[in-house]
Amino acid sequence: MKFYMTPGSCSTAIHIILEELEEIFEAHIVNLPAGDQFKPDYLAINPKANIPALVRPDGTVLTEVAAIAFWLGKARKRGIFWPANLEDETRALETMIFVTSALHGHGFARIFAPGNFSSDSQTHETIKAQGRALVEKGFGIVNKTLEGRKWVGGDYGVADAVLFYVEFWADKIGMALPGNLLSHYRAMLGRPAVSLVLREEGYSPDKLGQRDRV
């Protein structure tokens, strides 16, 4: 398989899943600041001009974090990283969609790229503050769903890698995590595949997860 990714981005979730599954894949870096996502060669692979993208063994392409995670969880290694029962499966899907749409698409997008929401630079700090408020509210919601659970879907699975990438972003910008999310984040940091991916993407796992909870 060919995996198109950007270090430290949402694609980190898929990178972790691929390593957890011990998949053999080619990693291709897409430099978003340089505009690689708009180059014809990449648009031929992913006309959405975003990351990640995964070219599967049959040559077909999957995009969107939740969709790629779902396919890897269900289709590879006999589905060992996908929940076995309907309730846990539903919770895993619910969390992945909420992470990618609300926490990422509405919250962190405003924090990291306020210019995408307004061309007036004088409003950017307000937009960032709005994004932070959305993330904090969203974290509170997910924190409640993790009550009494170590992992999102009961056992460890792909939804945990998806949740991890927004926890990781929060850590990078100095945002404290609620208690259950902090426990989840630290548990993820303790997994060998997560440490491997972070080091490969240029981060030191030993320096992460040190902040206290909210």
Side-chain angles (χ1 to χ4, degrees):
M1 290 189 284
K2 295 181 180 179
F3 173 47
Y4 293 84
M5 47 91 66
T6 301
S9 73
C10 59
S11 63
T12 298
I14 305 304
H15 193 178
I16 289 169
I17 295 166
L18 289 168
E19 293 292 351
E20 291 277 18
L21 289 168
E22 299 180 330
E23 293 283 354
I24 297 173
F25 62 95
E26 297 176 8
H28 298 266
I29 304 298
V30 180
N31 188 332
L32 297 180
D36 285 359
Q37 70 272 32
F38 301 115
K39 293 181 178 179
D41 287 351
Y42 185 67
L43 288 175
I45 297 164
N46 181 8
K48 296 177 181 177
N50 60 16
I51 50 95
L54 183 71
V55 182
R56 295 183 287 185
D58 65 359
T60 58
V61 180
L62 279 179
T63 62
E64 307 300 332
V65 169
I68 298 172
F70 173 75
W71 180 78
L72 287 170
K74 287 276 284 187
R76 311 300 285 184
K77 293 288 181 71
R78 302 178 303 282
I80 62 172
F81 291 133
W82 189 253
N85 65 72
L86 180 60
E87 178 62 22
D88 288 338
E89 183 177 41
T90 303
R91 291 300 181 188
L93 279 171
E94 179 185 43
T95 299
M96 292 197 300
I97 293 168
F98 187 65
V99 165
T100 55
S101 63
L103 290 173
H104 179 171
H106 292 288
F108 279 107
R110 283 174 166 80
I111 296 171
F112 294 145
N116 290 342
F117 294 87
S118 173
S119 59
D120 182 359
S121 61
Q122 293 184 350
T123 66
H124 288 180
E125 290 305 314
T126 299
I127 292 170
K128 289 180 182 180
Q130 291 171 343
R132 194 177 185 95
L134 288 169
V135 170
E136 289 173 349
K137 180 180 178 181
F139 277 165
I141 292 169
V142 180
N143 190 65
K144 289 182 180 179
T145 69
L146 282 176
E147 193 69 43
R149 287 175 174 246
K150 181 178 181 180
W151 305 116
V152 172
D155 295 325
Y156 176 78
V158 297
D160 296 293
V162 174
L163 177 57
F164 173 80
Y165 87 79
V166 288
E167 295 169 336
F168 171 60
W169 283 355
D171 196 357
K172 286 201 300 181
I173 65 172
M175 180 183 292
L177 294 168
N180 296 328
L181 281 182
L182 181 60
S183 295
H184 179 269
Y185 180 52
R186 288 174 173 168
M188 287 294 294
L189 289 172
R191 296 186 68 85
V194 175
S195 293
L196 173 65
V197 166
L198 290 173
R199 293 187 190 282
E200 287 182 347
E201 295 194 7
Y203 299 93
S204 175
D206 299 335
K207 296 180 180 179
L208 298 170
Q210 303 303 311
R211 292 180 61 85
D212 292 331
R213 67 179 186 177
V214 172

